[in-house]
Amino acid sequence: VAPNGFTFPPDCATLRSENVSCFADMDNQASATVQGLHGSNVTLNVETPTKTPTPRSWLLAALNQKGSIVAWCEDKLGLSVAQIRSVAVVYPAVAGASAELAV
């Protein structure tokens, strides 16, 4: 379970295995379910909010094949969201002018 403002994309796991799937849970909490892990390392992809939420703790639970919780943990420090500094967009402020923009 992620803090408020974080979201998981539909395919949120990065692992080279056809037996692992990850999907964003469709409820009011930012959570994801990863299935098929058996001693593997996995990277979860998450979309960050515009600023660091409060609280910023993450919860993780491991379930067995019957759906019972066998382990859990909480990361109370979480992630800090760092904004990109010194970003600007320059454009021609002339009516009717066309220009190419790159950000």
Side-chain angles (χ1 to χ4, degrees):
V1 178
N4 288 334
F6 286 88
T7 56
F8 292 96
D11 186 15
C12 52
T14 302
L15 182 69
R16 293 181 185 159
S17 172
E18 295 179 8
N19 297 325
V20 175
S21 61
C22 177
F23 53 91
D25 293 338
M26 299 298 165
D27 57 15
N28 292 331
Q29 290 185 303
S31 59
T33 300
V34 180
Q35 296 176 331
L37 291 178
H38 299 282
S40 301
N41 290 326
V42 65
T43 299
L44 290 179
N45 301 310
V46 65
E47 296 171 0
T48 60
T50 56
K51 63 180 184 175
T52 303
T54 304
R56 61 183 193 184
S57 62
W58 290 72
L59 300 174
L60 175 69
L63 289 73
N64 63 16
Q65 292 178 343
K66 295 179 182 178
S68 301
I69 295 176
V70 294
W72 68 274
C73 67
E74 178 182 10
D75 176 11
K76 293 183 180 183
L77 296 179
L79 303 172
S80 294
V81 177
Q83 297 295 322
I84 300 173
R85 300 177 193 267
S86 302
V87 173
V89 176
V90 179
Y91 62 95
V94 178
S98 62
E100 293 183 17
L101 298 176
V103 180

